[in-house]
Amino acid sequence: MALKIGQTSKIPAFLAMQIMSVANDMQAAGGDLIHLEVGQPSTPPPNAVCKALQASLKNTESHAYSVGLGNSSLRQRIAGHYHDWYQLSVDWQKVAITPGSSLGFAISFLSAFDRGDRIAIATPGYPAYRNLMLAIGIIPQLLPARSAQNWMPDLEELVMKDDIPDGLLLASPANPTGVVISDKELENICRWCEKHGVRLIMDEIYHGLTFGLQTQSALAYTEKAIIINSFSKYFCMTGWRLGWIVLPDDIVSTAEKLAQNIYISAATINQLGAIAAFDCYEELNANLPRYQENRDLLCRGLPAEFLGEHAPSDGAFYLYADVSALTNDSVAFANQILADIGVAITPGVDFDPLEGKTHLRLSYAGSTRDMQKAIQRINNWLSKKLPSG
Ligand SMILES: Cc1ncc(COP(=O)(O)O)c(C=O)c1O
């Protein structure tokens, strides 16, 4: 007799990770691959962080569990970061350390919502929000945030349609569009959520990665939001799998119990290393000109058909390109590019199940040399495909 398989088996794949897996296999087989599919900096973690991790090997604490919400020194240092960056006072006891912000989302969804609740998300948006919600019985409500909407969701439309969700999850800077929400807009969003009883989850994982713009934390405008952040992007510690949440008072205890039961604690040794990350702003800020140069190189060097009316890319490290002149099947198109020229790119349907068929996301978190090589390969490839003149 067939055995039961959970409904969760219907969870969609995270295509960026699928492509990375194929590209890694091709690389292991000797292929010359360029990775533009995932958002991971090619720069290593700061020196002081690596040294702190090494030093903590001698510390017996490093091979033990930490408590569910995480190492208290790291939580205090994160609270201090809110003072250093945003002049905000944060109670460190409300900071939870998670294994990547990915688990931070799971903890947040499970703490604040029930099965059947709806959380609105901007579309295009980060795929795992939607996929994880589906896996745990929360309904993702997709709000268009495309070029025609100025890349922002229209919250007033929800009021007009009497279609107010239980939660709203936004990222700024956003993945894949790079849209940065201004401080004024963010304040309005926080007020809107409080007025309509909507729980805001603000994904601030790309803070620190803006070009010429400063971003305030939503914490400046509301105490009710769940704030998510991570060591994976600005801090260049992607594989360390560390993130954090600043929790509102009413879910701290639930989040702690969920953490205890789901993963016990984030990896202690990595937490001990991460404390030093907050002494490394100067070293980390030095990565910004490279990202900006990479973005500008791609915008200048890729053919117009490959960029289309691309999203603003004012922050994070992605270019969300409109390739409607070339394809209406972004999955087949990305697979073809990978197979033909070894450039790994993520199809837009990962971020936007409907209109993403005509889009691709390119990550420019890698080296400038890789961007140059990718531009060359794509141009050569397209010149063979497109009729000349
Ligand atoms: C917008 C956004 N949020 C969250 C994550 C998850 O990151 P991590 O689990 O590495 O912290 C990512 C990863 O790319 C992302 O782009």
Side-chain angles (χ1 to χ4, degrees):
M1 221 169 104
L3 296 184
K4 168 137 176 87
I5 298 177
Q7 285 297 314
T8 319
S9 61
K10 297 201 178 84
I11 187 172
F14 184 170
L15 296 183
M17 296 304 289
Q18 299 269 90
I19 299 236
M20 185 182 94
S21 171
V22 175
N24 284 357
D25 287 348
M26 289 168 72
Q27 205 157 11
D32 177 15
L33 270 288
I34 301 172
H35 289 274
L36 306 185
E37 78 283 34
V38 282
Q40 66 184 348
S42 55
T43 343
N47 236 327
V49 170
C50 298
K51 281 197 182 137
L53 178 108
Q54 270 164 353
S56 68
L57 275 170
K58 298 190 198 101
N59 173 349
T60 49
E61 195 190 342
S62 72
H63 35 100
Y65 291 130
S66 54
V67 296
L69 290 180
N71 175 277
S72 54
S73 303
L74 178 59
R75 292 164 69 201
Q76 283 163 21
R77 198 60 195 84
I78 289 171
H81 172 70
Y82 283 87
H83 179 265
D84 297 346
W85 268 24
Y86 311 103
Q87 292 76 55
L88 295 173
S89 153
V90 166
D91 173 0
W92 71 269
Q93 312 251 27
K94 297 203 294 191
V95 176
I97 312 295
T98 54
S101 69
S102 299
L103 261 291
F105 287 102
I107 296 293
S108 304
F109 295 164
L110 292 167
S111 300
F113 302 95
D114 289 316
R115 292 178 77 81
D117 282 352
R118 286 182 302 144
I119 305 179
I121 47 176
T123 307
Y126 180 60
Y129 300 152
R130 187 179 84 236
N131 297 343
L132 175 61
M133 283 179 208
L134 289 171
I136 61 178
I138 288 172
I139 302 162
Q141 186 175 343
L142 308 189
L143 308 180
R146 306 191 176 97
S147 85
Q149 286 89 17
N150 222 6
W151 302 104
M152 278 290 293
D154 181 355
L155 300 182
E156 284 317 314
E157 196 177 305
L158 296 176
V159 180
M160 263 149 51
K161 289 186 178 158
D162 197 15
D163 196 20
I164 309 255
D166 301 287
L168 172 68
L169 165 48
L170 291 176
S172 171
N175 175 7
T177 57
V179 167
V180 177
I181 299 176
S182 73
D183 292 353
K184 191 71 215 149
E185 279 172 301
L186 182 60
E187 183 175 3
N188 289 341
I189 290 165
C190 295
R191 302 260 166 281
W192 185 90
C193 285
E194 289 200 0
K195 179 170 167 197
H196 295 285
V198 175
R199 172 82 73 179
L200 176 64
I201 304 173
M202 199 65 213
D203 184 350
E204 301 187 348
I205 183 171
Y206 292 104
H207 272 212
L209 297 174
T210 46
F211 311 117
L213 296 163
Q214 285 293 331
T215 37
Q216 182 53 281
S217 168
L219 275 178
Y221 309 115
T222 177
E223 289 186 344
K224 298 189 174 152
I226 300 172
I227 310 292
I228 308 269
N229 212 319
S230 172
F231 290 91
S232 292
K233 310 294 178 179
Y234 171 80
F235 293 98
C236 301
M237 295 160 63
T238 323
W240 290 45
R241 310 309 303 128
L242 279 185
W244 74 85
I245 322 176
V246 183
L247 295 155
D249 285 328
D250 54 350
I251 59 168
V252 175
S253 156
T254 313
E256 179 170 21
K257 287 181 275 186
L258 283 166
Q260 291 165 348
N261 285 294
I262 295 177
Y263 51 81
I264 299 187
S265 76
T268 305
I269 190 161
N270 293 354
Q271 296 187 60
L272 293 173
I275 297 168
F278 299 96
D279 300 324
C280 303
Y281 298 138
E282 210 178 303
E283 186 179 337
L284 292 164
N285 288 341
N287 292 324
L288 284 178
R290 188 183 86 245
Y291 298 139
Q292 194 163 1
E293 187 188 353
N294 288 354
R295 179 195 65 177
D296 295 347
L297 266 176
L298 289 175
C299 288
R300 274 200 312 271
L302 288 173
E305 301 88 344
F306 207 90
L307 286 170
E309 202 183 317
H310 64 82
S313 203
D314 289 329
F317 30 52
Y318 305 109
L319 196 59
Y320 194 57
D322 174 354
V323 286
S324 54
L326 299 168
T327 188
N328 60 7
D329 184 350
S330 56
V331 172
F333 195 64
N335 285 340
Q336 195 66 54
I337 295 172
L338 179 61
D340 289 354
I341 54 173
V343 179
I345 297 177
T346 304
V349 286
D350 215 15
F351 311 93
D352 183 346
L354 301 171
E355 298 195 4
K357 289 180 192 147
T358 52
H359 285 72
L360 294 178
R361 189 200 69 175
L362 290 78
S363 160
Y364 53 83
S367 69
T368 302
R369 181 79 198 106
D370 271 359
M371 300 306 126
Q372 288 160 337
K373 278 165 58 182
I375 290 168
Q376 210 167 36
R377 288 189 197 182
I378 292 169
N379 273 303
N380 287 344
W381 185 74
L382 269 184
S383 66
K384 288 181 200 134
K385 278 188 115 41
L386 293 174
S388 53

